[in-house]
Amino acid sequence: MIVEKTVLEADSQPQEILHRHDQISYLSDILEPVAAGDRVDGALIYGPTGTGKTATSRFLCDRLEQESEAVETAYVDCWGNSNRTAILHRILEGVGLSPSGLHRKTPTDELSQTLKRELESPLVVILDEADQIEDQAVLYELYENPQVTMLLIANDDEEFFARLEQRVDSRLVTVPRIHFRKYHDTELVSILDDRADAGLEPESVQRDELAVIADAAAGDARVAIGILRNAAEHARRDGASQIDSGIIESVTHATKREVRRKTISSLNSHQRVLLEILIENGTLGMGELYPRYCDRVAEPKGKRMVRNDLGKMSHYNLVDREGETRSREYSPDETLVDDHATEDVPVLGSVPK
């Protein structure tokens, strides 16, 4: 049944981006001067998870490199590389400016100077999960670099700008903002149909079944593609020639749990502690949550940064938020609590102080 497994992975870069024509057109216009050697301010690309923000950004950067040999691009996952040093290392590696003389103990200012001194071509940097950047100085220095254009990817534009320091905000506040909404069910069916054509044998799944997957995914392409992949693997193991609604139903919960686990594996140690506290205690306000958090970590963040972490986990459906900022209460997502209670392996595992 499965003829090309890689295209059934949510992270697989598609050859064509579907149902994002307006966003592609707008971002293409923004980046057009870069091909001529000019630097532009870049853009903030924002929206819920699984809406094509990263795929669209990488697609356009790939196209830009193909159209202009003078342009270079780099990609940084700022959730896994959240400090200034790590971000600069990833950028230098991405453009081949990481000589043997530079290593993980190289002073950060030296990394910055190397990028500024050695970079001769226009560079477009995708900073994915940019709302996770801990040291905002890196945003300031990248903006000030005359060769660098930043594409910032985040979940919420207002939350992203609310946490910026004044000198960074004054530079970035005028960048264009490009919104990616959740996919409609019909759009997800089209995306799934495209993946099925490339990854499965003909007639392996009908559009009615793809509609069932789309409905279960609730606008999130990552979840939808994951359900399709797991359903195909289930059908192959059973020797079935087609994916039916029963197979889809049987893999849907496990697929959503798989996506949650992948997200949890990306959490930093502070976010994991916060989530563990909520799973153990249920709904808590900041006045109750913050002291518990401080008791468990060696170097606690300030309340503002903790709110940012909770907000990030809310966008990834791990934490629910209710109320206004000062009186807001936080609780773990119900499905996460159920997983924690019923599985032999804890959702988070040990989070030592």
Side-chain angles (χ1 to χ4, degrees):
M1 175 174 285
I2 300 174
V3 297
E4 184 56 61
K5 188 174 181 179
T6 57
V7 302
L8 300 178
E9 299 292 336
D11 294 335
S12 174
Q13 184 68 26
Q15 294 184 349
E16 181 183 4
I17 304 295
L18 302 177
H19 308 296
R20 289 295 181 246
H21 176 271
D22 290 346
Q23 291 87 345
I24 290 173
S25 178
Y26 188 15
L27 192 52
S28 295
D29 289 344
I30 292 169
L31 294 175
E32 185 176 1
V34 177
D38 296 328
R39 180 249 192 210
V40 297
D41 287 347
L44 173 67
I45 299 159
Y46 71 98
T49 62
T51 54
K53 303 184 298 297
T54 301
T56 299
S57 301
R58 300 192 81 156
F59 171 80
L60 288 175
C61 282
D62 289 344
R63 192 170 74 179
L64 193 60
E65 283 190 311
Q66 293 170 7
E67 294 175 350
S68 176
E69 294 182 359
V71 176
E72 296 187 273
T73 67
Y75 172 85
V76 183
D77 177 359
C78 298
W79 207 335
N81 302 276
S82 59
N83 62 56
R84 180 178 171 227
T85 302
I87 291 169
L88 291 173
H89 262 297
R90 297 292 84 76
I91 294 173
L92 288 166
E93 290 173 355
V95 296
L97 292 177
S98 187
S100 57
L102 294 177
H103 47 76
R104 293 195 176 277
K105 293 186 179 180
T106 300
T108 305
D109 287 342
E110 186 176 335
L111 298 175
S112 180
Q113 288 302 314
T114 298
L115 182 63
K116 190 173 184 179
R117 182 179 63 250
E118 301 292 338
L119 189 61
E120 298 178 350
S121 302
L123 169 64
V124 179
V125 178
I126 300 172
L127 295 177
D128 204 353
E129 309 288 2
D131 45 14
Q132 293 297 284
I133 295 174
E134 296 175 357
D135 186 351
Q136 296 177 19
V138 72
L139 293 174
Y140 183 86
E141 63 190 311
L142 289 174
Y143 183 90
E144 293 294 307
N145 190 314
Q147 298 282 20
V148 175
T149 294
M150 290 187 291
L151 298 183
L152 305 162
I153 301 178
N155 294 119
D156 185 278
D157 59 332
E158 292 185 2
E159 289 183 6
F160 176 78
F161 281 101
R163 65 186 294 272
L164 293 182
E165 299 165 1
Q166 194 278 330
R167 69 166 185 161
V168 179
D169 180 77
S170 66
R171 299 299 192 278
L172 299 180
V173 69
T174 58
V175 302
R177 306 183 190 190
I178 305 175
H179 181 228
F180 282 62
R181 56 165 175 76
K182 280 184 173 291
Y183 289 108
H184 300 311
D185 282 3
T186 54
E187 293 170 335
L188 278 182
V189 169
S190 176
I191 291 169
L192 292 170
D193 196 30
D194 191 59
R195 297 275 179 145
D197 284 345
L200 302 178
E201 293 178 350
E203 305 299 322
S204 293
V205 61
Q206 302 300 314
R207 289 185 71 88
D208 285 349
E209 278 63 49
L210 295 181
V212 174
I213 295 176
D215 180 64
D220 188 330
R222 297 176 312 147
V223 174
I225 295 168
I227 293 173
L228 176 63
R229 182 194 67 247
N230 288 339
E233 291 177 344
H234 189 290
R236 178 183 55 80
R237 288 193 302 269
D238 287 357
S241 60
Q242 280 195 329
I243 297 170
D244 59 31
S245 58
I247 291 175
I248 293 168
E249 183 178 355
S250 69
V251 303
T252 294
H253 177 75
T255 302
K256 291 181 177 180
R257 185 174 59 209
E258 178 183 298
V259 171
R260 285 195 298 273
R261 281 183 171 275
K262 185 174 181 180
T263 302
I264 290 170
S265 71
S266 300
L267 299 179
N268 62 45
S269 58
H270 293 265
Q271 292 166 340
R272 290 169 69 87
V273 167
L274 290 166
L275 189 55
E276 186 174 71
I277 291 170
L278 290 175
I279 290 174
E280 292 173 355
N281 295 275
T283 303
L284 294 173
M286 184 59 68
E288 301 167 297
L289 175 57
Y290 189 70
R292 288 176 168 85
Y293 156 76
C294 291
D295 287 341
R296 295 199 188 187
V297 298
E299 297 180 4
K301 297 180 180 181
K303 286 186 177 180
R304 181 177 180 182
M305 292 301 295
V306 167
R307 288 192 183 95
N308 290 338
D309 281 340
L310 292 164
K312 186 65 175 179
M313 291 190 285
S314 173
H315 288 300
Y316 276 82
N317 302 315
L318 299 178
V319 170
D320 296 325
R321 298 183 291 181
E322 288 191 14
E324 299 300 322
T325 303
R326 295 296 177 183
S327 60
R328 183 169 289 163
E329 292 187 325
Y330 303 89
S331 57
D333 183 79
E334 289 184 6
T335 55
L336 189 64
V337 175
D338 292 341
D339 288 347
H340 188 71
T342 59
E343 292 182 11
D344 293 334
V345 180
V347 172
L348 294 177
S350 176
V351 186
K353 181 172 181 178

